[in-house]
Amino acid sequence: MGRPFGIPIVVSPTWFLIAAFITIYFGGQFDHTRLGDRLGAARYLVAFGFAVLLYLSVLLHELAHSVVAKHFGLPVRRIVIYFLGGVSEIEREPETPGREFAVAVAGPALSFVLAGIFWGIWEALPSTTDSSPTGLLVVIYLVFAVWTANLVVGVFQHAARLPLDGGRCCVPSSGR
């Protein structure tokens, strides 16, 4: 798919399953809403747009891990985006607990930054009324959805359980 920072990106075929699920599920959530009534079947296109934006958020999360790892001289084989998220394939462990912590915390930190950026955009968008343009309603929906998704990813990844990032953050403090 590409090689940002020289890191190969691979999209597993299983990602398309979750993209289809997100599209069908979130498209259905528009039923009997002002936006859904205006969009009709195009609501599934908006839901697919959310799936793509979520994928890009996961990719940026994993890139954050990988870029920090490369900064410390660790070889990164690739990033794989799959059914339940993504994984940075870093070929060896960081040499110090501080470096391991930095690599582990980079992803959730970026997710929180993205959440903050999208929250700021959401706050800056105008209020809506029944006569608001459909395009504005779509933008507000997508910005809100990406904001909350990144917040959830950041919080979830901070859970102090392996293999989540929060568990990786605890490993350095335990002294291995």
Side-chain angles (χ1 to χ4, degrees), residues 125-159:
L125 290 168
S127 298
T128 61
T129 65
D130 287 337
S131 62
S132 294
T134 303
L136 176 61
L137 296 176
V138 168
V139 167
I140 289 171
Y141 167 77
L142 288 173
V143 167
F144 180 80
V146 174
W147 159 43
T148 55
N150 276 286
L151 182 62
V152 168
V153 167
V155 169
F156 179 75
Q157 285 294 311
H158 265 304

Side-chain angles (χ1 to χ4, degrees), residues 62-87:
E62 294 303 326
L63 266 173
H65 290 301
S66 296
V67 167
V68 172
K70 285 185 70 128
H71 171 75
F72 293 132
L74 301 172
V76 178
R77 179 179 303 126
R78 64 186 181 168
I79 294 173
V80 180
I81 304 299
Y82 63 100
F83 186 74
L84 294 176
V87 64

Side-chain angles (χ1 to χ4, degrees), residues 4-119:
F5 302 98
I7 303 165
I9 307 298
V10 176
V11 179
S12 166
T14 62
W15 179 81
F16 295 97
L17 294 174
I18 196 68
F21 173 78
I22 289 170
T23 300
I24 292 166
Y25 179 77
F26 282 97
Q29 295 300 304
F30 287 115
D31 284 344
H32 311 296
T33 66
R34 178 174 50 179
L35 182 56
D37 292 344
R38 289 187 188 184
L39 289 172
R43 67 183 187 256
Y44 292 102
L45 187 59
V46 173
F48 180 72
F50 169 65
V52 170
L53 290 170
L54 180 61
Y55 152 78
L56 290 173
S57 294
V58 170
L59 175 60
L60 290 172
H61 175 106
E62 294 303 326
L63 266 173
H65 290 301
S66 296
V67 167
V68 172
K70 285 185 70 128
H71 171 75
F72 293 132
L74 301 172
V76 178
R77 179 179 303 126
R78 64 186 181 168
I79 294 173
V80 180
I81 304 299
Y82 63 100
F83 186 74
L84 294 176
V87 64
S88 298
E89 295 180 2
I90 301 168
E91 294 185 352
R92 65 175 203 269
E93 297 293 320
E95 294 82 21
T96 67
R99 287 180 176 187
E100 178 149 0
F101 179 83
V103 170
V105 80
L110 187 75
S111 293
F112 285 128
V113 167
L114 289 172
I117 289 168
F118 280 93
W119 175 81

Side-chain angles (χ1 to χ4, degrees), residues 96-102 104 160 165-176:
T96 67
R99 287 180 176 187
E100 178 149 0
F101 179 83
D165 298 331
R168 305 267 329 153
C169 289
C170 292
V171 170
S173 64
S174 68
R176 281 198 249 189

